[in-house]
Amino acid sequence: MVNFVGRERELRDLSRLLERVKRGDRLDLGITVAMRGRRRIGKSALATEFIKRSGVPSVYFQAARYRSLSEDLATFAEAIAASDLPLAFLAAHQEPRSLSDAFRLLAHVLPDNQPSVVVLDELPWLLEGSPGGAGELQRAWDRELSAKPVLLLLLGSNFGMMEALQKYDQPLYGRATPMVLHELTPVDVQKV
């Protein structure tokens, strides 16, 4: 088994954000993080390690490039159903027809009374297959997801798209905390 190495600062940052979600003292109970970094930099590994350390229910979904939207939506519903969210069983055998349906399903199974973590990995690939998908994500966040005690991690290696989603005239403006992953340095891995 390979041990997780480095990223202690990023793990602390995510833990602080999850603590804010746990406190529930904000108008929006949920918090969104838009994590970007070049391919193979460790975004998925960081999110997986954070979930493991967090001790809260979670769901992890990874979009696939060139997969049809209907396949991605079915896989998203399956990921929700297979998760350790308390109401995950409600997602079993569901077939969302749009991103809005998938986000509504997610909101339906997220707990109201305890924090959770949701990872949408390769978000740009998911949005590529759905014209207007970023708007659907914004609408779901504003209307349903932000009212839940959830830390929503949006991961993507497409720097341009991840940055564009947060610009003034774009759907995630003011809704996501940016996080950029850089290469690990020798100091980061010296404890190995």
Side-chain angles (χ1 to χ4, degrees):
M1 172 144 196
V2 177
N3 290 329
F4 186 81
V5 176
R7 304 285 182 216
E8 293 305 318
R9 181 179 52 81
E10 292 88 350
L11 286 166
R12 279 192 306 273
D13 290 347
L14 291 172
S15 293
R16 278 194 285 272
L17 291 170
L18 183 58
E19 284 305 314
R20 288 180 66 194
V21 169
K22 288 178 180 179
R23 285 195 309 266
D25 57 2
R26 303 171 60 246
L27 182 59
D28 283 343
L29 296 177
I31 295 176
T32 301
V33 174
M35 185 186 305
R36 66 185 189 269
R38 69 170 178 76
R39 292 188 52 68
R40 308 291 303 152
I41 198 80
K43 298 176 297 298
S44 302
L46 173 61
T48 301
E49 182 68 16
F50 174 69
I51 286 172
K52 187 168 70 173
R53 293 183 186 191
S54 75
V56 301
S58 63
V59 60
Y60 194 111
F61 166 71
Q62 186 174 44
R65 191 162 214 179
Y66 308 122
R67 184 165 53 192
S68 72
L69 180 60
S70 61
E71 291 173 304
D72 261 344
L73 294 175
T75 304
F76 191 8
E78 290 167 6
I80 296 169
S83 75
D84 62 352
L85 295 173
L87 297 176
F89 66 93
L90 296 174
H93 310 296
Q94 296 297 314
E95 296 179 13
R97 294 182 179 186
S98 67
L99 277 178
S100 291
D101 287 349
F103 294 140
R104 201 171 302 110
L105 176 63
L106 175 63
H108 188 66
V109 302
L110 285 175
D112 292 315
N113 59 353
Q114 73 180 104
S116 59
V117 175
V118 174
V119 177
L120 300 181
D121 198 349
E122 296 297 357
L123 178 69
W125 292 349
L126 178 64
L127 298 180
E128 279 177 3
S130 177
E136 291 181 73
L137 175 57
Q138 175 208 332
R139 194 169 34 260
W141 179 256
D142 289 350
R143 292 185 180 172
E144 299 169 293
L145 297 172
S146 67
K148 302 282 188 162
V150 62
L151 182 60
L152 175 61
L153 304 180
L154 307 173
L155 281 56
S157 53
N158 182 328
F159 266 81
M161 181 180 262
M162 293 298 287
E163 286 176 339
L165 287 172
Q166 296 181 71
K167 288 185 179 178
Y168 178 74
D169 61 344
Q170 295 300 309
L172 293 183
Y173 176 76
R175 291 171 176 85
T177 301
M179 178 180 276
V180 180
L181 290 192
H182 300 284
E183 291 83 4
L184 290 173
T185 68
V187 172
D188 296 325
V189 297
Q190 71 184 359
K191 296 177 186 174
V192 177

